[in-house]
Amino acid sequence: MAATAMQFPMVIDGQRVESLSGERYEDRDPASDQVLALLPRANPADVDRAVEAATRAFNSKEWGGIAPAERGRLMLRLAQLIRANAEELARLESQDNGKPLRQARNDAQVAARYFEFYAGVADKIMGNTIPIGPGFLDYTIREPLGVSGHIVPWNYPIQITSRGVAPAVAAGNTCVVKPSSEAPLTAVRLGELAIDAGFPAGVINVVTGRGSEVGDYLVTHPGINQITFTGSVSTGQRVMELAARHVIPVQMELGGKSPNVVFADADLDLTVPAVANAIFQNAGQTCSAGSRLLVERRAHDEVVDRLRQRAQQMRLGPGIEDPDMGPMISRGQLQRVLEYIEIGKREGARVAVGGAQPDDPQLRRGYFIQPTVLDQARNEMRVAQDEIFGPVLTVIEFDDLEEAARIANQSEFGLVAGVWTRDINKALYLASRIKAGQVFVNTYGAGGGVELPFGGYKKSGFGREKGLEALAAYTQVKNVCVKFA
Ligand code: NAD
């Protein structure tokens, strides 16, 4: 174990606490396989404490009884504290997840932006009056649900925690957050900063530990009124089944196999760097990664050649040294990606670049893999259908617009799509045909996109995060009908 392993608490009821059992677990640095931090290993009794604290807070004068604008003020204070501590948060995120420091810095800014955006919304969550005829006044109120549970994956912990918690508290709910055991550090720091910002005790709780040990318990807890889950399809299905047992709403943000569709008339100087970034950012461990490149046959050779050159120039290293690409999150994830590259080869795809772990012995200690392009793939192949969740771009050629639309939609996922062309008619036609929650034209991702509704079609999930649409998940509508003389 590294002598410098950091010690972290969890945050329950406005306090930094240990687990009731006193047990801790090891959180590893993916760049070196050393122990990075020790954290409380929560068990169901700790979940009880967190849910009880969140329930008390929801019913309290200090939270349930304050004006919506005051909730907004607290959120703005938290946003300011995130910005004031952005460098520390970015360094933690980079070490914990492995992502390049500049990307983690951006993630910290986007986290602050979530609290700012929804702070402005807190006092604008309005209902309607409904004209049903003389002698009636009918109106609706949008009320919070109560205690909102947030199950967060390891790939963008600070962004995804903020993406869920900010609209939840803006609407007046209280939260219990369970970050992934693989990268929990910034979620814990966010919980601590919420205390410093003056949030009443119990409004934002963060429980650390293993999903397999406390995840089921959290979802089935009778005190939980809503779940926001971000993660894999299989865990999401389990969470849905568990939530059904006590009939609570769930918001599901699941996986993707998003197509980036490049026509021969696209501006390749703009397109190729963005296509590369869409797959290699966060070492491909991004739900909205552009992991399927559909390229018009006439442009194929040039596009793949330019991608190969970019991939060869990318510098790999520990995130904290701000390389172009960091490691996979875990040894398991590394093995999975290597297996998929072998599957791709067996299926007949050709490795245009990458395809292996780097030779550098320093990098061999961590979970690094080269940026990889699998060329000459067919959309039926597993490497074109399964979410690999690594820096592996699968390239498929097409001849015309209709074929591009058909291949883009031949997927069980539908999270994001990109279209690259100078022809506005092609762009708009494809945007109308593609079955995905977000379509980008001549851009991809829009820098965090806090304001833009985000979520899946098909197995990519349901419900929308981000933008004003997210409020639907954290409010329930009450209709009041009054008859007067
Ligand atoms: P995962 O499903 O393994 O884990 C997600 C979370 O669920 C973790 O916090 C984990 O501890 C928890 N968990 C595990 N077992 C549980 C249980 N039985 N009950 C409740 N919770 C449990 O996913 P991951 O490997 O952390 O993340 C990668 C996946 O997440 C990919 O499929 C990716 O596409 C998806 N993802 C989606 C989005 C999105 O917004 N659509 C964003 C990021 C990641």
Side-chain angles (χ1 to χ4, degrees):
M1 184 193 303
T4 51
M6 296 180 280
Q7 307 280 334
F8 274 73
M10 2 185 229
V11 177
I12 295 180
D13 206 12
Q15 306 288 323
R16 296 163 174 84
V17 297
E18 290 301 317
S19 64
L20 288 170
S21 69
E23 273 185 73
R24 313 203 106 215
Y25 80 90
E26 296 176 347
D27 172 27
R28 304 192 92 80
D29 173 355
S32 65
D33 198 28
Q34 299 288 303
V35 178
L36 176 67
L38 293 170
L39 292 110
R41 179 172 171 175
N43 61 34
D46 296 301
V47 174
D48 285 341
R49 280 200 292 172
V51 176
E52 282 158 19
T55 306
R56 270 196 308 278
F58 183 72
N59 294 318
S60 70
K61 274 208 315 286
E62 292 76 17
W63 182 250
I66 63 174
E70 183 55 30
R71 295 201 297 266
R73 256 177 242 129
L74 286 166
M75 294 172 69
L76 279 182
R77 240 174 271 152
L78 177 53
Q80 284 161 0
L81 285 179
I82 294 171
R83 290 203 195 278
N85 292 277
E87 187 59 20
E88 181 218 341
L89 290 166
R91 297 185 87 81
L92 286 176
E93 190 88 325
S94 174
Q95 284 173 285
D96 206 4
N97 162 281
K99 66 181 66 188
L101 189 54
R102 61 185 176 281
Q103 194 195 318
R105 286 183 175 133
N106 182 63
D107 290 358
Q109 298 299 330
V110 173
R113 182 77 195 104
Y114 276 116
F115 284 96
E116 289 165 357
F117 180 84
Y118 291 106
V121 170
D123 57 356
K124 299 168 195 70
I125 301 175
M126 298 174 194
N128 290 312
T129 55
I130 300 172
I132 56 168
F136 285 99
L137 170 65
D138 192 284
Y139 60 94
T140 61
I141 316 171
R142 292 173 71 183
E143 297 183 337
L145 287 112
V147 181
S148 169
H150 295 253
I151 300 178
V152 175
W154 43 260
N155 59 346
Y156 289 85
I158 194 166
Q159 275 206 43
I160 292 176
T161 303
S162 304
R163 177 177 93 181
V165 168
V169 296
N173 300 281
T174 57
C175 296
V176 176
V177 179
K178 199 214 71 63
S180 165
S181 54
E182 313 253 30
L185 301 184
T186 51
V188 173
R189 282 295 291 136
L190 205 63
E192 291 183 315
L193 292 176
I195 302 174
D196 300 344
F199 273 87
V203 174
I204 299 176
N205 307 277
V206 183
V207 177
T208 58
R210 299 195 196 290
S212 53
E213 291 172 0
V214 289
D216 286 10
Y217 191 76
L218 176 68
V219 177
T220 50
H221 198 292
I224 288 280
N225 305 109
Q226 182 270 345
I227 288 282
T228 292
F229 174 83
T230 308
S232 60
V233 175
S234 56
T235 314
Q237 285 167 327
R238 177 166 180 80
V239 167
M240 279 185 260
E241 284 167 16
L242 294 172
R245 290 190 195 164
H246 64 134
V247 194
I248 56 165
V250 290
Q251 170 98 336
M252 284 285 143
E253 296 290 350
L254 308 175
K257 191 77 182 178
S258 298
N260 234 335
V261 184
V262 177
F263 288 92
D265 67 359
D267 175 349
L268 293 189
D269 291 341
L270 178 84
T271 304
V272 171
V275 165
N277 190 53
I279 182 65
F280 299 139
Q281 174 178 313
N282 218 37
Q285 302 168 115
T286 303
C287 54
S288 54
S291 50
R292 272 190 305 155
L293 171 61
L294 313 192
V295 59
E296 192 169 354
R297 202 173 302 279
R298 283 186 291 138
H300 167 271
D301 291 358
E302 183 173 358
V303 169
V304 170
D305 208 45
R306 288 199 195 194
L307 282 168
R308 182 189 302 112
Q309 286 171 31
R310 285 192 81 82
Q312 281 166 343
Q313 283 161 10
M314 285 176 72
R315 192 171 54 85
L316 269 56
I320 202 75
E321 293 172 13
D322 205 22
D324 296 318
M325 201 173 86
M328 301 280 87
I329 187 72
S330 61
R331 194 164 296 288
Q333 191 67 17
L334 170 66
Q335 290 308 335
R336 175 187 154 92
V337 176
L338 288 168
E339 273 164 36
Y340 265 108
I341 292 169
E342 290 311 311
I343 291 171
K345 286 195 229 167
R346 281 202 300 277
E347 289 178 312
R350 187 179 65 86
V351 178
V353 67
Q357 290 174 265
D359 293 331
D360 182 344
Q362 272 299 103
L363 297 182
R364 283 276 175 152
R365 291 169 51 218
Y367 318 136
F368 291 89
I369 185 161
Q370 295 166 336
T372 298
V373 175
L374 289 181
D375 194 14
Q376 294 171 9
R378 292 186 317 281
N379 201 49
E380 300 70 42
M381 293 178 175
R382 280 185 66 195
V383 287
Q385 290 295 317
D386 297 359
E387 185 184 46
I388 299 175
F389 226 55
V392 180
L393 179 64
T394 305
V395 184
I396 301 152
E397 292 174 70
F398 67 85
D399 287 304
D400 59 42
L401 190 57
E402 283 307 323
E403 192 184 12
R406 184 176 52 75
I407 298 174
N409 286 333
Q410 253 172 17
S411 169
E412 62 179 9
F413 296 111
L415 195 54
V416 174
V419 182
W420 301 85
T421 175
R422 286 191 170 95
D423 182 339
I424 188 75
N425 293 310
K426 276 191 216 158
L428 292 179
Y429 177 72
L430 215 52
S432 75
R433 288 284 310 277
I434 285 179
K435 303 214 177 316
Q438 281 192 333
V439 180
F440 290 100
V441 176
N442 293 332
T443 182
Y444 198 90
V450 170
E451 307 84 352
L452 315 180
F454 174 76
Y457 277 35
K458 301 189 266 183
K459 280 198 185 157
S460 290
F462 51 82
R464 289 294 175 268
E465 302 257 33
K466 305 187 176 186
L468 295 178
E469 276 77 359
L471 293 169
Y474 301 106
T475 52
Q476 50 193 342
V477 175
K478 178 184 281 173
N479 186 86
V480 180
C481 184
V482 183
K483 185 163 174 19
F484 57 93

